[in-house]
Amino acid sequence: MHFTRKVTKDLTWVGADDRRLACFEGVYGVPNGVSYNSYLLQDEKTVLFDTVDKAVYQTFFENVKYALDGRKLDYLVIHHMEPDHAYTIEALLTRYPDVMIICNSKIQTMLGQFFDMDLTGRVQIVKEGDSFSSGKHSFTFVMAPMVHWPEVMMTYDVTDKLLFTADAFGTFGALNGRLFADEGDFFGEELDEARRYYTNIVGKYGPQVQAVLKKAAKLELNTVCPLHGPVWREHFGDFLEKYLLWSSYTPEEKSVCLAYASVYGHTENAANILAGRLVERGVRVRMFDTSVTPASYIVSDAFRCSHLVLASTTYNAGIFVTMENLIHDLVNHNLCNRKIALIENGSWAATSGKLMREALSGLKGTEFINDTISLKSALKENQLEALDALADAIAADIKNS
Ligand code: FEO
């Protein structure tokens, strides 16, 4: 049975939730599920904006059929070729043989890469600023390369002042019957998952996101329709502010993200004591055990906080594997402009501090606070002074910055 929601008088959400997916893109856990959004416009011509992942194709086709209400499908606008949105295109074209695809030339190339279909005469190529009319509604196209793949584009419905934003402004989490962000407590309950989605999926491409945000700033917006998560019709400016911070690698708050890798608890012990010293100095701290919390959550928190403390034991003459994975992700997601302090441990030849410093020093705007604190097996009484000094330095930096 279909389940659809009206976005506007003419536009219907025809997407679906997936709550059985273990890992989005095979790597990011989604305990609250994820939505794949697709939208159908009823005008003089009918227009579908994107399709969905294969996991929800059955619901999707029921929804499209219901929303078409007996009409044929005239156009499919493709904004992004990642298969979580594009997998179902071939099946859609089989079911609706008269549909004309509207996309850019990079998307056309990827259609040929992903599918063996003869699309001769079925593709209308658009470029930046091109326009299109479906009758009452007219559209312009905005290219958005690397948000999150090179072919990505957005479509602006000039008539309804509505922007289809592809992956941008998406959120992890199923919709659960809701469609609009203002139908729930987005900033109270979902912001963390929106940040985790942005930082892990698009975080590497901050400058490209900034370029698109500049273009979007020129548009009057009543409604914003992303490919994941809720649609925005109220308080979008508050969400946009977060995007401006995340994409410019500006911390949301002056606080510490403290992550540690500890095999037998001695490195954890030092991390706990430092956390206590920081809190006593009025500093807010969130702690993560890298062997317990998946890296995507810690990366997200590192984007939120101004300061990072990373503490790792030495393992196989290197950084402990879960910390090494976290640092790999921080570097690959291009986390810039952070103040970082390091603690290493090693019972005979500690190397993790030097290796962590080398890996992180390539990130633009990184500043290290104090020398690496080096533990030999367990923290000793005479090293408390170094932890106090580090807590003093971080607290002073937070107060003065
Ligand atoms: Fe939701 Fe980049 O695909």
Side-chain angles (χ1 to χ4, degrees):
M1 173 61 88
H2 64 269
F3 170 65
T4 63
R5 295 271 323 258
K6 279 280 188 190
V7 181
T8 61
K9 184 169 157 288
D10 298 334
L11 189 71
T12 304
W13 175 85
V14 292
D17 283 336
D18 182 358
R19 298 183 195 82
R20 289 198 161 184
L21 182 66
C23 286
F24 185 78
E25 292 187 356
V27 60
Y28 306 115
V30 278
N32 304 323
V34 67
S35 78
Y36 304 109
N37 299 339
S38 169
Y39 305 90
L40 184 92
L41 184 80
Q42 283 272 13
D43 198 358
E44 287 173 27
K45 299 290 183 185
T46 57
V47 186
L48 183 69
F49 295 89
D50 296 299
T51 67
V52 296
D53 188 80
K54 63 180 182 295
V56 295
Y57 83 95
Q58 196 166 353
T59 310
F60 166 68
F61 280 120
E62 285 177 18
N63 288 348
V64 171
K65 186 177 172 192
Y66 171 77
L68 279 171
D69 194 21
R71 294 181 65 188
K72 72 182 178 75
L73 181 61
D74 296 308
Y75 290 98
L76 167 67
V77 176
I78 304 172
H79 294 114
H80 184 16
M81 277 303 295
E82 193 164 11
D84 55 333
H85 311 293
Y87 197 96
T88 325
I89 289 172
E90 189 169 23
L92 183 92
L93 296 185
T94 305
R95 286 175 190 230
Y96 298 98
D98 296 330
V99 71
M100 176 71 103
I101 293 172
I102 297 178
C103 66
N104 62 40
S105 57
K106 285 181 185 156
I107 289 173
Q108 185 184 34
T109 301
M110 286 194 182
L111 279 167
Q113 291 172 197
F114 277 106
F115 302 110
D116 288 317
M117 296 182 286
D118 180 7
L119 295 175
T120 310
R122 298 188 71 180
V123 180
Q124 184 176 326
I125 297 296
V126 294
K127 304 184 299 299
E128 176 81 32
D130 280 359
S131 57
F132 163 75
S133 173
S134 59
K136 190 175 89 182
H137 292 259
S138 57
F139 303 91
T140 58
F141 301 98
V142 179
M143 300 303 120
M146 300 318 297
V147 187
H148 128 242
W149 281 14
E151 85 293 1
V152 170
M153 66 177 206
M154 300 179 178
T155 299
Y156 182 56
D157 180 336
V158 180
T159 311
D160 276 355
K161 300 182 172 47
L162 179 151
L163 186 64
F164 297 95
T165 57
D167 274 341
F169 306 110
T171 307
F172 285 142
L175 288 171
N176 302 327
R178 187 183 53 134
L179 177 64
F180 297 101
D182 57 87
E183 292 177 314
D185 181 11
F186 183 87
F187 289 99
E189 293 176 0
E190 293 170 86
L191 184 62
D192 282 349
E193 281 297 82
R195 184 189 305 103
R196 190 166 70 90
Y197 171 84
Y198 172 84
T199 54
N200 286 280
I201 305 299
V202 200
K204 182 180 179 67
Y205 305 111
Q208 290 89 341
V209 174
Q210 290 264 313
V212 172
L213 292 179
K214 257 187 210 161
K215 289 195 224 176
K218 294 177 189 152
L219 304 173
E220 193 180 339
L221 294 177
N222 289 338
T223 312
V224 171
C225 295
L227 285 174
H228 301 284
V231 169
W232 290 83
R233 62 182 176 184
E234 289 180 17
H235 310 298
F236 177 66
D238 295 339
F239 196 30
L240 185 61
E241 268 180 34
K242 296 292 180 188
Y243 260 68
L244 289 168
L245 293 175
W246 298 337
S247 59
S248 60
Y249 306 100
T250 306
E252 283 173 71
E253 66 172 43
K254 292 170 186 173
S255 63
V256 172
C257 168
L258 197 169
Y260 64 88
S262 185
V263 178
Y264 294 106
H266 299 95
T267 308
E268 179 185 20
N269 176 243
N272 276 330
I273 292 169
L274 177 64
R277 299 289 201 267
L278 286 166
V279 172
E280 284 168 358
R281 287 160 174 76
V283 175
R284 291 168 68 178
V285 180
R286 267 203 228 183
M287 288 186 77
F288 301 94
D289 184 326
T290 59
S291 297
V292 174
T293 305
S296 70
Y297 290 86
I298 312 175
V299 167
S300 175
D301 205 60
F303 268 71
R304 190 181 64 82
C305 297
S306 56
H307 290 64
L308 293 183
V309 177
L310 303 177
S312 179
T313 190
T314 299
Y315 201 75
N316 288 330
I319 306 166
F320 187 73
V321 58
T322 54
M323 178 61 77
E324 188 171 46
N325 181 45
L326 171 63
I327 289 175
H328 177 269
D329 270 6
L330 290 171
V331 171
N332 274 2
H333 290 91
N334 195 31
L335 181 65
C336 304
N337 309 325
R338 292 304 187 274
K339 308 282 184 75
I340 302 177
L342 300 171
I343 299 173
E344 67 173 1
N345 200 346
S347 292
W348 60 93
T351 60
S352 54
K354 177 173 171 284
L355 294 171
M356 287 193 289
R357 188 173 290 259
E358 282 172 5
L360 295 162
S361 57
L363 289 168
K364 200 173 156 198
T366 294
E367 283 180 39
F368 291 100
I369 297 187
N370 288 12
D371 293 335
T372 300
I373 295 178
S374 189
L375 311 178
K376 214 162 201 169
S377 303
L379 184 74
K380 297 297 176 194
E381 192 75 27
N382 62 7
Q383 290 184 299
L384 287 174
E385 203 178 311
L387 285 182
D388 276 322
L390 180 55
D392 281 339
I394 293 171
D397 197 63
I398 282 178
K399 199 174 165 193
N400 298 329
S401 61

